[in-house]
Amino acid sequence: MLANKPIKKISTFLGITFAISCIFYFLIINAGGLEAKGGLYVFLLMWTPGLAGIATQLIYEHSIKGLGWKPGPFKYLALAYIIPLIYCLVVYGITWLTGLGQFPCSSFLKNLTGSYPGLSSPAAIAVYTLIMGTVGVLVSLFSGLGEEIGWRGLLVPEMAKILPFWKVGLFSGLIWAVWHMPLIFFSNYNLPGIPTWYAALMFMIMVVGISFVFAWLRLRSGSLWTAAMLHASHNLFVQSIFTPLTGQTAITPFIIDEFGCGLAIAISVLAIIFWKKRKELQLLSE
């Protein structure tokens, strides 16, 4: 009987999330892509799990307490910020050094130097990276928070009440990956030049892998903000810094970004590392 409530909460949360998400899938696909309405539809879609999580918590607990609102220890927030920077430096660094991709991307650098007149190319890259890594991550945090209130604020802790850690990481990752699939198969959430099946497979591997890191940080810190920071940092470094700075050849899209094998492999290694740290977990009372 004790396991019934988490199962009911998980089922309710997933039902609400996917039901409302279908509205925004339709709007995004019908409008022609993720850029429609200035990205408004994507932003609203990202907040769907959060709103579903809050609604579910209100239904069953009559309060939004218990979702992990406290910030938790600073060291876990810092770790969440740094982890994406590390795996991006490894994957993109290897890509640049081996010639599988070029650094910097000439067209992006041209636009960048135009935005910072009077600065040399290295200085313009440094200033852009600094601004994005500070101010930019706060903007990214706001959109990422919408997902994390649901996925890690509610879903992961409820799963952890009835499942071992490896199943929490695996199942939460599979659900999260499937939630993205309509955008990959029916919209333009992809990199040009690679087959949809390849992009979906690499994205699935990456998302399931990093879900072990998300789950560990959430359960170890007792805070959803660590997950929100990891989400924001990942989106920022991958989508706004490292991929734009990479000049692409025919092979490059198969290596970089969320749809290439580079991050899929690196994050799979990371998943094993955090799975081995599972004995350190504790779900702190709030």
PDB file of all heavy atoms in Angstrom, residues 71-100:
ATOM      1  N   PRO A  71      17.869  25.704  -1.949  1.00  0.00           N
ATOM      2  CA  PRO A  71      19.000  25.645  -2.892  1.00  0.00           C
ATOM      3  C   PRO A  71      19.968  24.502  -2.635  1.00  0.00           C
ATOM      4  O   PRO A  71      20.655  24.059  -3.556  1.00  0.00           O
ATOM      5  CB  PRO A  71      19.698  26.995  -2.698  1.00  0.00           C
ATOM      6  CG  PRO A  71      19.289  27.447  -1.334  1.00  0.00           C
ATOM      7  CD  PRO A  71      17.894  26.941  -1.145  1.00  0.00           C
ATOM      8  N   GLY A  72      20.030  24.012  -1.415  1.00  0.00           N
ATOM      9  CA  GLY A  72      20.965  22.944  -1.109  1.00  0.00           C
ATOM     10  C   GLY A  72      22.389  23.455  -0.981  1.00  0.00           C
ATOM     11  O   GLY A  72      22.666  24.638  -1.188  1.00  0.00           O
ATOM     12  N   PRO A  73      23.338  22.568  -0.663  1.00  0.00           N
ATOM     13  CA  PRO A  73      24.743  22.982  -0.509  1.00  0.00           C
ATOM     14  C   PRO A  73      25.303  23.573  -1.799  1.00  0.00           C
ATOM     15  O   PRO A  73      25.053  23.056  -2.892  1.00  0.00           O
ATOM     16  CB  PRO A  73      25.458  21.676  -0.147  1.00  0.00           C
ATOM     17  CG  PRO A  73      24.388  20.812   0.440  1.00  0.00           C
ATOM     18  CD  PRO A  73      23.138  21.149  -0.307  1.00  0.00           C
ATOM     19  N   PHE A  74      26.072  24.641  -1.656  1.00  0.00           N
ATOM     20  CA  PHE A  74      26.622  25.336  -2.818  1.00  0.00           C
ATOM     21  C   PHE A  74      27.510  24.429  -3.661  1.00  0.00           C
ATOM     22  O   PHE A  74      27.564  24.558  -4.891  1.00  0.00           O
ATOM     23  CB  PHE A  74      27.428  26.558  -2.365  1.00  0.00           C
ATOM     24  CG  PHE A  74      28.115  27.280  -3.495  1.00  0.00           C
ATOM     25  CD1 PHE A  74      27.399  28.114  -4.343  1.00  0.00           C
ATOM     26  CD2 PHE A  74      29.474  27.099  -3.733  1.00  0.00           C
ATOM     27  CE1 PHE A  74      28.027  28.764  -5.400  1.00  0.00           C
ATOM     28  CE2 PHE A  74      30.111  27.749  -4.773  1.00  0.00           C
ATOM     29  CZ  PHE A  74      29.383  28.586  -5.613  1.00  0.00           C
ATOM     30  N   LYS A  75      28.201  23.486  -3.037  1.00  0.00           N
ATOM     31  CA  LYS A  75      29.140  22.638  -3.778  1.00  0.00           C
ATOM     32  C   LYS A  75      28.435  21.819  -4.859  1.00  0.00           C
ATOM     33  O   LYS A  75      29.030  21.537  -5.913  1.00  0.00           O
ATOM     34  CB  LYS A  75      29.906  21.719  -2.837  1.00  0.00           C
ATOM     35  CG  LYS A  75      29.069  20.707  -2.085  1.00  0.00           C
ATOM     36  CD  LYS A  75      29.938  19.854  -1.171  1.00  0.00           C
ATOM     37  CE  LYS A  75      29.122  18.829  -0.389  1.00  0.00           C
ATOM     38  NZ  LYS A  75      29.997  18.014   0.495  1.00  0.00           N
ATOM     39  N   TYR A  76      27.178  21.464  -4.614  1.00  0.00           N
ATOM     40  CA  TYR A  76      26.453  20.700  -5.623  1.00  0.00           C
ATOM     41  C   TYR A  76      25.971  21.592  -6.771  1.00  0.00           C
ATOM     42  O   TYR A  76      25.912  21.156  -7.925  1.00  0.00           O
ATOM     43  CB  TYR A  76      25.287  19.957  -4.985  1.00  0.00           C
ATOM     44  CG  TYR A  76      25.744  18.916  -3.990  1.00  0.00           C
ATOM     45  CD1 TYR A  76      25.380  19.008  -2.646  1.00  0.00           C
ATOM     46  CD2 TYR A  76      26.556  17.859  -4.376  1.00  0.00           C
ATOM     47  CE1 TYR A  76      25.810  18.060  -1.724  1.00  0.00           C
ATOM     48  CE2 TYR A  76      26.996  16.917  -3.458  1.00  0.00           C
ATOM     49  CZ  TYR A  76      26.625  17.022  -2.132  1.00  0.00           C
ATOM     50  OH  TYR A  76      27.064  16.089  -1.222  1.00  0.00           O
ATOM     51  N   LEU A  77      25.619  22.829  -6.454  1.00  0.00           N
ATOM     52  CA  LEU A  77      25.284  23.795  -7.511  1.00  0.00           C
ATOM     53  C   LEU A  77      26.496  24.074  -8.384  1.00  0.00           C
ATOM     54  O   LEU A  77      26.398  24.144  -9.612  1.00  0.00           O
ATOM     55  CB  LEU A  77      24.767  25.091  -6.890  1.00  0.00           C
ATOM     56  CG  LEU A  77      23.394  25.033  -6.213  1.00  0.00           C
ATOM     57  CD1 LEU A  77      23.149  26.304  -5.402  1.00  0.00           C
ATOM     58  CD2 LEU A  77      22.293  24.857  -7.251  1.00  0.00           C
ATOM     59  N   ALA A  78      27.659  24.232  -7.744  1.00  0.00           N
ATOM     60  CA  ALA A  78      28.893  24.473  -8.489  1.00  0.00           C
ATOM     61  C   ALA A  78      29.245  23.272  -9.361  1.00  0.00           C
ATOM     62  O   ALA A  78      29.662  23.424 -10.520  1.00  0.00           O
ATOM     63  CB  ALA A  78      30.039  24.780  -7.522  1.00  0.00           C
ATOM     64  N   LEU A  79      29.081  22.087  -8.808  1.00  0.00           N
ATOM     65  CA  LEU A  79      29.354  20.867  -9.572  1.00  0.00           C
ATOM     66  C   LEU A  79      28.433  20.767 -10.781  1.00  0.00           C
ATOM     67  O   LEU A  79      28.875  20.405 -11.885  1.00  0.00           O
ATOM     68  CB  LEU A  79      29.175  19.646  -8.669  1.00  0.00           C
ATOM     69  CG  LEU A  79      29.488  18.278  -9.281  1.00  0.00           C
ATOM     70  CD1 LEU A  79      30.947  18.191  -9.697  1.00  0.00           C
ATOM     71  CD2 LEU A  79      29.135  17.165  -8.292  1.00  0.00           C
ATOM     72  N   ALA A  80      27.172  21.104 -10.582  1.00  0.00           N
ATOM     73  CA  ALA A  80      26.201  21.064 -11.677  1.00  0.00           C
ATOM     74  C   ALA A  80      26.582  22.035 -12.791  1.00  0.00           C
ATOM     75  O   ALA A  80      26.379  21.743 -13.978  1.00  0.00           O
ATOM     76  CB  ALA A  80      24.805  21.394 -11.142  1.00  0.00           C
ATOM     77  N   TYR A  81      27.130  23.163 -12.429  1.00  0.00           N
ATOM     78  CA  TYR A  81      27.557  24.154 -13.430  1.00  0.00           C
ATOM     79  C   TYR A  81      28.796  23.683 -14.185  1.00  0.00           C
ATOM     80  O   TYR A  81      28.899  23.849 -15.410  1.00  0.00           O
ATOM     81  CB  TYR A  81      27.838  25.491 -12.748  1.00  0.00           C
ATOM     82  CG  TYR A  81      28.312  26.576 -13.699  1.00  0.00           C
ATOM     83  CD1 TYR A  81      27.396  27.362 -14.388  1.00  0.00           C
ATOM     84  CD2 TYR A  81      29.672  26.803 -13.908  1.00  0.00           C
ATOM     85  CE1 TYR A  81      27.823  28.350 -15.262  1.00  0.00           C
ATOM     86  CE2 TYR A  81      30.108  27.786 -14.777  1.00  0.00           C
ATOM     87  CZ  TYR A  81      29.176  28.563 -15.456  1.00  0.00           C
ATOM     88  OH  TYR A  81      29.608  29.533 -16.333  1.00  0.00           O
ATOM     89  N   ILE A  82      29.720  23.080 -13.481  1.00  0.00           N
ATOM     90  CA  ILE A  82      31.021  22.738 -14.056  1.00  0.00           C
ATOM     91  C   ILE A  82      30.981  21.486 -14.931  1.00  0.00           C
ATOM     92  O   ILE A  82      31.695  21.400 -15.938  1.00  0.00           O
ATOM     93  CB  ILE A  82      32.064  22.566 -12.930  1.00  0.00           C
ATOM     94  CG1 ILE A  82      32.337  23.919 -12.257  1.00  0.00           C
ATOM     95  CG2 ILE A  82      33.374  21.978 -13.456  1.00  0.00           C
ATOM     96  CD1 ILE A  82      33.174  23.810 -10.998  1.00  0.00           C
ATOM     97  N   ILE A  83      30.159  20.511 -14.585  1.00  0.00           N
ATOM     98  CA  ILE A  83      30.150  19.237 -15.304  1.00  0.00           C
ATOM     99  C   ILE A  83      29.967  19.399 -16.813  1.00  0.00           C
ATOM    100  O   ILE A  83      30.738  18.831 -17.598  1.00  0.00           O
ATOM    101  CB  ILE A  83      29.083  18.291 -14.710  1.00  0.00           C
ATOM    102  CG1 ILE A  83      29.566  17.726 -13.374  1.00  0.00           C
ATOM    103  CG2 ILE A  83      28.763  17.146 -15.666  1.00  0.00           C
ATOM    104  CD1 ILE A  83      28.511  16.921 -12.632  1.00  0.00           C
ATOM    105  N   PRO A  84      28.973  20.167 -17.304  1.00  0.00           N
ATOM    106  CA  PRO A  84      28.847  20.327 -18.751  1.00  0.00           C
ATOM    107  C   PRO A  84      30.055  21.004 -19.401  1.00  0.00           C
ATOM    108  O   PRO A  84      30.417  20.665 -20.533  1.00  0.00           O
ATOM    109  CB  PRO A  84      27.584  21.193 -18.903  1.00  0.00           C
ATOM    110  CG  PRO A  84      26.794  20.905 -17.679  1.00  0.00           C
ATOM    111  CD  PRO A  84      27.821  20.780 -16.593  1.00  0.00           C
ATOM    112  N   LEU A  85      30.671  21.932 -18.693  1.00  0.00           N
ATOM    113  CA  LEU A  85      31.871  22.575 -19.228  1.00  0.00           C
ATOM    114  C   LEU A  85      32.970  21.539 -19.430  1.00  0.00           C
ATOM    115  O   LEU A  85      33.669  21.555 -20.464  1.00  0.00           O
ATOM    116  CB  LEU A  85      32.348  23.677 -18.282  1.00  0.00           C
ATOM    117  CG  LEU A  85      33.665  24.372 -18.655  1.00  0.00           C
ATOM    118  CD1 LEU A  85      33.564  25.018 -20.025  1.00  0.00           C
ATOM    119  CD2 LEU A  85      34.045  25.397 -17.592  1.00  0.00           C
ATOM    120  N   ILE A  86      33.107  20.610 -18.505  1.00  0.00           N
ATOM    121  CA  ILE A  86      34.159  19.596 -18.602  1.00  0.00           C
ATOM    122  C   ILE A  86      33.919  18.681 -19.792  1.00  0.00           C
ATOM    123  O   ILE A  86      34.827  18.446 -20.611  1.00  0.00           O
ATOM    124  CB  ILE A  86      34.243  18.782 -17.294  1.00  0.00           C
ATOM    125  CG1 ILE A  86      34.737  19.669 -16.147  1.00  0.00           C
ATOM    126  CG2 ILE A  86      35.178  17.580 -17.474  1.00  0.00           C
ATOM    127  CD1 ILE A  86      34.685  19.003 -14.791  1.00  0.00           C
ATOM    128  N   TYR A  87      32.702  18.126 -19.915  1.00  0.00           N
ATOM    129  CA  TYR A  87      32.512  17.193 -21.032  1.00  0.00           C
ATOM    130  C   TYR A  87      32.487  17.902 -22.382  1.00  0.00           C
ATOM    131  O   TYR A  87      32.851  17.312 -23.402  1.00  0.00           O
ATOM    132  CB  TYR A  87      31.318  16.249 -20.841  1.00  0.00           C
ATOM    133  CG  TYR A  87      29.939  16.804 -20.643  1.00  0.00           C
ATOM    134  CD1 TYR A  87      29.260  17.497 -21.626  1.00  0.00           C
ATOM    135  CD2 TYR A  87      29.253  16.551 -19.450  1.00  0.00           C
ATOM    136  CE1 TYR A  87      27.967  17.951 -21.453  1.00  0.00           C
ATOM    137  CE2 TYR A  87      27.957  16.990 -19.252  1.00  0.00           C
ATOM    138  CZ  TYR A  87      27.308  17.687 -20.256  1.00  0.00           C
ATOM    139  OH  TYR A  87      26.012  18.118 -20.076  1.00  0.00           O
ATOM    140  N   CYS A  88      32.113  19.171 -22.404  1.00  0.00           N
ATOM    141  CA  CYS A  88      32.207  19.919 -23.657  1.00  0.00           C
ATOM    142  C   CYS A  88      33.668  20.165 -24.046  1.00  0.00           C
ATOM    143  O   CYS A  88      34.036  20.028 -25.218  1.00  0.00           O
ATOM    144  CB  CYS A  88      31.465  21.245 -23.540  1.00  0.00           C
ATOM    145  SG  CYS A  88      29.677  21.116 -23.713  1.00  0.00           S
ATOM    146  N   LEU A  89      34.493  20.522 -23.074  1.00  0.00           N
ATOM    147  CA  LEU A  89      35.910  20.731 -23.361  1.00  0.00           C
ATOM    148  C   LEU A  89      36.554  19.454 -23.907  1.00  0.00           C
ATOM    149  O   LEU A  89      37.360  19.505 -24.843  1.00  0.00           O
ATOM    150  CB  LEU A  89      36.645  21.183 -22.100  1.00  0.00           C
ATOM    151  CG  LEU A  89      36.425  22.639 -21.663  1.00  0.00           C
ATOM    152  CD1 LEU A  89      37.036  22.879 -20.290  1.00  0.00           C
ATOM    153  CD2 LEU A  89      37.027  23.609 -22.691  1.00  0.00           C
ATOM    154  N   VAL A  90      36.178  18.308 -23.356  1.00  0.00           N
ATOM    155  CA  VAL A  90      36.734  17.035 -23.823  1.00  0.00           C
ATOM    156  C   VAL A  90      36.269  16.719 -25.239  1.00  0.00           C
ATOM    157  O   VAL A  90      37.081  16.481 -26.140  1.00  0.00           O
ATOM    158  CB  VAL A  90      36.340  15.888 -22.866  1.00  0.00           C
ATOM    159  CG1 VAL A  90      36.740  14.538 -23.456  1.00  0.00           C
ATOM    160  CG2 VAL A  90      36.988  16.082 -21.506  1.00  0.00           C
ATOM    161  N   VAL A  91      34.959  16.734 -25.455  1.00  0.00           N
ATOM    162  CA  VAL A  91      34.402  16.325 -26.749  1.00  0.00           C
ATOM    163  C   VAL A  91      34.756  17.314 -27.860  1.00  0.00           C
ATOM    164  O   VAL A  91      35.248  16.924 -28.928  1.00  0.00           O
ATOM    165  CB  VAL A  91      32.876  16.155 -26.651  1.00  0.00           C
ATOM    166  CG1 VAL A  91      32.259  15.943 -28.033  1.00  0.00           C
ATOM    167  CG2 VAL A  91      32.532  15.009 -25.724  1.00  0.00           C
ATOM    168  N   TYR A  92      34.543  18.583 -27.612  1.00  0.00           N
ATOM    169  CA  TYR A  92      34.820  19.571 -28.650  1.00  0.00           C
ATOM    170  C   TYR A  92      36.318  19.773 -28.817  1.00  0.00           C
ATOM    171  O   TYR A  92      36.791  20.036 -29.927  1.00  0.00           O
ATOM    172  CB  TYR A  92      34.120  20.891 -28.328  1.00  0.00           C
ATOM    173  CG  TYR A  92      32.628  20.849 -28.561  1.00  0.00           C
ATOM    174  CD1 TYR A  92      31.763  20.363 -27.584  1.00  0.00           C
ATOM    175  CD2 TYR A  92      32.071  21.290 -29.751  1.00  0.00           C
ATOM    176  CE1 TYR A  92      30.389  20.309 -27.787  1.00  0.00           C
ATOM    177  CE2 TYR A  92      30.703  21.262 -29.969  1.00  0.00           C
ATOM    178  CZ  TYR A  92      29.867  20.766 -28.985  1.00  0.00           C
ATOM    179  OH  TYR A  92      28.511  20.717 -29.208  1.00  0.00           O
ATOM    180  N   GLY A  93      37.075  19.665 -27.719  1.00  0.00           N
ATOM    181  CA  GLY A  93      38.525  19.780 -27.823  1.00  0.00           C
ATOM    182  C   GLY A  93      39.103  18.710 -28.725  1.00  0.00           C
ATOM    183  O   GLY A  93      39.946  18.990 -29.594  1.00  0.00           O
ATOM    184  N   ILE A  94      38.659  17.466 -28.537  1.00  0.00           N
ATOM    185  CA  ILE A  94      39.110  16.375 -29.405  1.00  0.00           C
ATOM    186  C   ILE A  94      38.676  16.617 -30.849  1.00  0.00           C
ATOM    187  O   ILE A  94      39.433  16.387 -31.801  1.00  0.00           O
ATOM    188  CB  ILE A  94      38.565  15.024 -28.888  1.00  0.00           C
ATOM    189  CG1 ILE A  94      39.218  14.664 -27.547  1.00  0.00           C
ATOM    190  CG2 ILE A  94      38.807  13.911 -29.917  1.00  0.00           C
ATOM    191  CD1 ILE A  94      38.625  13.435 -26.887  1.00  0.00           C
ATOM    192  N   THR A  95      37.456  17.106 -31.015  1.00  0.00           N
ATOM    193  CA  THR A  95      36.939  17.393 -32.357  1.00  0.00           C
ATOM    194  C   THR A  95      37.796  18.425 -33.070  1.00  0.00           C
ATOM    195  O   THR A  95      38.141  18.264 -34.257  1.00  0.00           O
ATOM    196  CB  THR A  95      35.481  17.888 -32.273  1.00  0.00           C
ATOM    197  OG1 THR A  95      34.676  16.906 -31.619  1.00  0.00           O
ATOM    198  CG2 THR A  95      34.913  18.165 -33.654  1.00  0.00           C
ATOM    199  N   TRP A  96      38.172  19.472 -32.369  1.00  0.00           N
ATOM    200  CA  TRP A  96      38.989  20.523 -32.968  1.00  0.00           C
ATOM    201  C   TRP A  96      40.413  20.043 -33.248  1.00  0.00           C
ATOM    202  O   TRP A  96      40.965  20.298 -34.321  1.00  0.00           O
ATOM    203  CB  TRP A  96      39.033  21.745 -32.044  1.00  0.00           C
ATOM    204  CG  TRP A  96      37.691  22.376 -31.802  1.00  0.00           C
ATOM    205  CD1 TRP A  96      36.589  22.315 -32.605  1.00  0.00           C
ATOM    206  CD2 TRP A  96      37.310  23.158 -30.662  1.00  0.00           C
ATOM    207  NE1 TRP A  96      35.541  23.000 -32.041  1.00  0.00           N
ATOM    208  CE2 TRP A  96      35.945  23.545 -30.854  1.00  0.00           C
ATOM    209  CE3 TRP A  96      37.963  23.578 -29.504  1.00  0.00           C
ATOM    210  CZ2 TRP A  96      35.255  24.315 -29.928  1.00  0.00           C
ATOM    211  CZ3 TRP A  96      37.265  24.344 -28.591  1.00  0.00           C
ATOM    212  CH2 TRP A  96      35.931  24.706 -28.797  1.00  0.00           C
ATOM    213  N   LEU A  97      40.995  19.345 -32.290  1.00  0.00           N
ATOM    214  CA  LEU A  97      42.389  18.914 -32.421  1.00  0.00           C
ATOM    215  C   LEU A  97      42.583  17.865 -33.510  1.00  0.00           C
ATOM    216  O   LEU A  97      43.649  17.802 -34.141  1.00  0.00           O
ATOM    217  CB  LEU A  97      42.903  18.375 -31.082  1.00  0.00           C
ATOM    218  CG  LEU A  97      43.075  19.410 -29.957  1.00  0.00           C
ATOM    219  CD1 LEU A  97      43.403  18.714 -28.640  1.00  0.00           C
ATOM    220  CD2 LEU A  97      44.167  20.421 -30.316  1.00  0.00           C
ATOM    221  N   THR A  98      41.570  17.038 -33.730  1.00  0.00           N
ATOM    222  CA  THR A  98      41.681  15.983 -34.745  1.00  0.00           C
ATOM    223  C   THR A  98      41.264  16.441 -36.135  1.00  0.00           C
ATOM    224  O   THR A  98      41.408  15.696 -37.106  1.00  0.00           O
ATOM    225  CB  THR A  98      40.821  14.775 -34.349  1.00  0.00           C
ATOM    226  OG1 THR A  98      39.455  15.206 -34.195  1.00  0.00           O
ATOM    227  CG2 THR A  98      41.321  14.141 -33.065  1.00  0.00           C
ATOM    228  N   GLY A  99      40.741  17.656 -36.243  1.00  0.00           N
ATOM    229  CA  GLY A  99      40.289  18.151 -37.529  1.00  0.00           C
ATOM    230  C   GLY A  99      38.906  17.669 -37.922  1.00  0.00           C
ATOM    231  O   GLY A  99      38.455  17.923 -39.052  1.00  0.00           O
ATOM    232  N   LEU A 100      38.207  16.987 -37.012  1.00  0.00           N
ATOM    233  CA  LEU A 100      36.834  16.569 -37.287  1.00  0.00           C
ATOM    234  C   LEU A 100      35.887  17.765 -37.305  1.00  0.00           C
ATOM    235  O   LEU A 100      34.776  17.687 -37.818  1.00  0.00           O
ATOM    236  CB  LEU A 100      36.372  15.549 -36.250  1.00  0.00           C
ATOM    237  CG  LEU A 100      37.109  14.207 -36.269  1.00  0.00           C
ATOM    238  CD1 LEU A 100      36.717  13.354 -35.062  1.00  0.00           C
ATOM    239  CD2 LEU A 100      36.816  13.458 -37.563  1.00  0.00           C
TER     240      LEU A 100
END
